[in-house]
Amino acid sequence: MNIFHYKKQQGLTIIEIMIAILLSTLLLTGVIQIFVSTKHSYRIQDGLSRIQENGRFGIQMISQDVQMGGFYGCNDGQIITNHLNDSTDLQFQYDYSIAGYNDLTSTPALLTSANTSITPDTGTDVIIIRRPEGEPYRLAGISTKDNITIEAPSVISNLCNNSATMVNGFCPGDIMLVADCNKSIVFQSGTFTVSGTPPNRIATITHPTGSTPGNSKDEWGGVSDMPNQFANDANSVVYHLATIMYYVQTVNGIPTLFRYQNGDFDALVDGVEDMQIQYGEDTNNDGIADSYVDAFAYDATTQARWNSIVATKIKLLIRSVNNNLTEQTLSYSFNGNTVTTANMASDDKYIRREFVTTVALRNHAS
């Protein structure tokens, strides 16, 4: 009788272990390479997507404000009187529909006086737009030399500063515009007096010389070719006015597009490395841009020229927020110029794209 004895497995040989380690290493290396490659592709695609999103959003925001620049009622801003005392302040220069600065070398005093935190990057442009915001409200009666009366469908108590009543979104002290098809007057509102009940509720708004900046006169007259009163017809309306500015400023190493409005400013878009604006100038008063020029002098001597601007060409250079997205430094083109790798830092591995659009000022262009 044959008896077979089976020997149990006692372990692995060195050769078997080495082969297993080698195979495991090869498999793990492949998995790591796939992971790294996939992650790198994701970072590039994410960076490109954010560039596209930021570029479109920045262009859209600026374009919307530019389109409304210079709208001062149905007279298209051709006859406008600024009653504000400090009409040379950035917020109150409503004699200018649009203006700007080209390739800054330092921060203009006009911007510093508005807010010392505004320090645009050197070499970038600044664009300033003035326009109404919100809904217009019709006059409810013929204006007097001391006040205007408007329809008041919305009245909310204690919502404004100092617990004042908000009427149609307006508060005492707001910069406002009263306009018809013959004239537009910029003024600072005084007190609000609400009377009546819906749907016939009205608000009477004064325009005194006190307050800050206050009005240069407490009546509508003073201009020989303007009537002293506004009629209560369909064309006589009141708006809230805004001064809006766009500029590029680097914060914590990230170049950012900022939007300023009426004394406040907010970071709008990350990765905006440069902004260049050209202005379409109408030199023969036909409502069509005859040439596109860089921002020129911004002072009283050029006011008429600024008000002949009928369009703008907006260019944004958008950079990826994160570095090291490429294996090597990439050259790029912006504003008609090519920046080569020889003029860039060796550790610059950002991706950049240029976004360009041309926008007409609807109330100035034909």
Side-chain angles (χ1 to χ4, degrees), residues 266-280:
D266 297 291
L268 196 66
V269 180
D270 292 339
V272 181
E273 200 167 56
D274 197 358
M275 177 175 66
Q276 295 292 317
I277 308 291
Q278 287 189 308
Y279 300 86

Side-chain angles (χ1 to χ4, degrees), residues 17-31:
I17 293 174
M18 292 180 66
I19 292 174
I21 291 174
L22 177 61
L23 292 175
S24 299
T25 302
L26 292 174
L27 289 173
L28 185 60
T29 300
V31 170

Side-chain angles (χ1 to χ4, degrees), residues 276-320:
Q276 295 292 317
I277 308 291
Q278 287 189 308
Y279 300 86
E281 188 173 9
D282 176 15
T283 58
N284 56 8
N285 202 32
D286 63 355
I288 300 173
D290 298 296
S291 62
Y292 281 86
V293 298
D294 293 331
F296 39 89
Y298 179 13
D299 53 43
T301 64
T302 59
Q303 180 180 333
R305 188 179 176 189
W306 277 113
N307 287 333
S308 70
I309 299 301
V310 296
T312 61
K313 186 176 293 184
I314 305 164
K315 302 178 183 180
L316 296 181
L317 177 63
I318 309 296
R319 189 195 79 182
S320 58

Side-chain angles (χ1 to χ4, degrees), residues 11-21:
L12 299 173
T13 66
I14 293 295
I15 294 176
E16 291 173 328
I17 293 174
M18 292 180 66
I19 292 174
I21 291 174

Side-chain angles (χ1 to χ4, degrees), residues 59-69 131 246 359:
I59 287 288
Q60 180 182 12
M61 289 294 295
I62 300 174
S63 299
Q64 288 176 347
D65 285 326
V66 168
Q67 287 172 348
M68 289 294 292
R131 66 169 183 83
Y246 290 91
V359 183

Side-chain angles (χ1 to χ4, degrees), residues 53 66 71 74 122 156 190 262:
E53 180 182 358
V66 168
F71 174 64
C74 61
T122 58
I156 306 175
N262 294 349

